Amino acid sequence: MSNLVQYDAALLQKLGLSEQEAQELEANGVSLQEYAEMVGSDLDSEADQIDARPVRWQIVHAARAFTNEATGEVRQTLRGVVPYFHVTRALFLGEGQDRPDCSSMDGKYGVYFDVELNREQRRECATCPFNKYGSDPKGGKGKACKEMRRLFLLEEGSNMSSVVTLPPTSLKVWDRFVSGLLYKGTPLAAVEVELSLEAKQNGAQTWSVLKSPQIVRRLSPVEYVKVRSVREELEQAAQRYTVGLDDYMQGAGDEASVTADEASRTSA
């Protein structure tokens, strides 16, 4: 009988192997740990040849689901640990452009290119005219510059972090959830969470917003320390991972609710 009972079940799951496949490796003189090292070496080598970026989960409003931009996989829920998240803002004034006219990676200062001076400039988001209600270039009551939350998610079995960008209508729910953890003295990175969506409607208009995240479990102290160790790396990656048009347009279709939702969030 094989000694599969000695195998790490979590390692089998991470490698995507069945017990039968592990037995076949063993029969051919390759241990599970050796196989894992081979896979890890290949992944590291391939990652060095590309501009490796966190895979993004986008919100599909009609399906109340998340879709993986790299694999096409659709999920109703996402589960993992969020070692790092941050406020981000983006402004797109023209049609069909890939890069924002102005963007902010901390929600406090935006960076834009000044054509007259021929260099990048910074401006304070709090006093920017594009951060005012009614500045929507399409004539809406909302803001031209969208405020978002970008979450870096470590999913079980994944070899790299993924990203979920929350549009303006989901900010109140997320901020309330994190505030609850702060009240209890629990860091966000110390819990495994489950993210899902719910439908909102305004007349004939329907869109999806974040449901209040559920705590799946609290991590052990050792797990928390390991998760926290990747935070600095993710912070640096966040600065390189600029906001794209897809992030900006992710909330498209819910503009009618943005003004009321943001107003209630800021006054709460």
Side-chain angles (χ1 to χ4, degrees):
M1 191 72 179
S2 171
N3 62 348
L4 278 175
V5 291
Q6 298 178 8
Y7 290 167
D8 185 342
L11 182 56
L12 279 174
Q13 182 180 6
K14 182 175 182 180
L15 293 171
L17 297 180
S18 66
E19 291 189 355
Q20 181 179 349
E21 288 172 323
Q23 287 176 325
E24 291 173 354
L25 281 171
E26 187 180 75
N28 283 274
V30 180
S31 70
L32 189 62
Q33 188 59 44
E34 288 172 334
Y35 179 78
E37 291 173 357
M38 292 178 191
V39 171
S41 176
D42 287 347
L43 290 173
D44 288 343
S45 176
E46 291 163 13
D48 287 340
Q49 306 307 313
I50 63 171
D51 179 16
R53 289 171 169 265
V55 171
R56 181 173 51 185
W57 289 96
Q58 293 180 294
I59 295 175
V60 183
H61 288 280
R64 297 199 302 277
F66 303 93
T67 182
N68 189 304
E69 69 171 359
T71 66
E73 180 184 2
V74 177
R75 292 189 195 170
Q76 298 298 128
T77 61
L78 297 177
R79 179 181 292 190
V81 183
V82 182
Y84 177 65
F85 78 96
H86 67 104
V87 179
T88 183
R89 298 179 189 269
L91 171 68
F92 284 84
L93 295 175
E95 296 289 339
Q97 61 190 79
D98 295 326
R99 296 181 64 84
D101 292 281
C102 183
S103 63
S104 172
M105 295 296 106
D106 61 4
K108 298 177 181 179
Y109 293 93
V111 178
Y112 68 98
F113 187 81
D114 190 311
V115 178
E116 293 183 0
L117 297 177
N118 195 34
R119 67 168 182 262
E120 286 189 340
Q121 296 280 76
R122 279 163 47 98
R123 60 184 162 202
E124 191 174 6
C125 296
T127 58
C128 178
F130 293 111
N131 191 29
K132 306 296 181 184
Y133 293 112
S135 61
D136 186 343
K138 295 181 180 180
K141 296 180 180 180
K143 300 177 180 181
C145 181
K146 287 188 178 180
E147 179 183 347
M148 296 162 277
R149 300 283 183 275
R150 192 158 61 179
L151 285 53
F152 286 80
L153 183 69
L154 292 179
E155 304 169 76
E156 186 176 356
S158 177
N159 292 295
M160 60 187 296
S161 63
S162 56
V163 167
V164 181
T165 300
L166 300 179
T169 47
S170 291
L171 302 189
K172 182 177 180 180
V173 173
W174 176 255
D175 290 355
R176 181 182 293 160
F177 171 70
V178 177
S179 295
L181 291 175
L182 291 173
Y183 177 77
K184 296 177 182 178
T186 303
L188 177 62
V191 295
E192 182 181 3
V193 299
E194 183 176 273
L195 306 178
S196 60
L197 303 166
E198 63 180 345
K200 293 290 183 180
Q201 188 169 2
N202 184 3
Q205 189 178 39
T206 303
W207 64 95
S208 296
V209 299
L210 182 71
K211 288 180 65 174
S212 182
Q214 299 298 305
I215 297 177
V216 177
R217 67 183 181 92
R218 184 161 183 164
L219 272 60
S220 70
V222 172
E223 288 177 312
Y224 167 62
V225 170
K226 289 181 178 179
V227 168
R228 195 177 183 280
S229 67
V230 304
R231 179 186 175 101
E232 183 177 346
E233 180 182 346
L234 291 177
E235 286 185 31
Q236 294 174 355
Q239 299 303 310
R240 301 191 302 270
Y241 189 45
T242 57
V243 181
L245 183 61
D246 287 343
D247 295 310
Y248 184 80
M249 295 302 295
Q250 190 170 220
D254 61 5
E255 290 90 349
S257 69
V258 171
T259 302
D261 188 84
E262 286 192 345
S264 63
R265 179 168 57 86
T266 56
S267 63

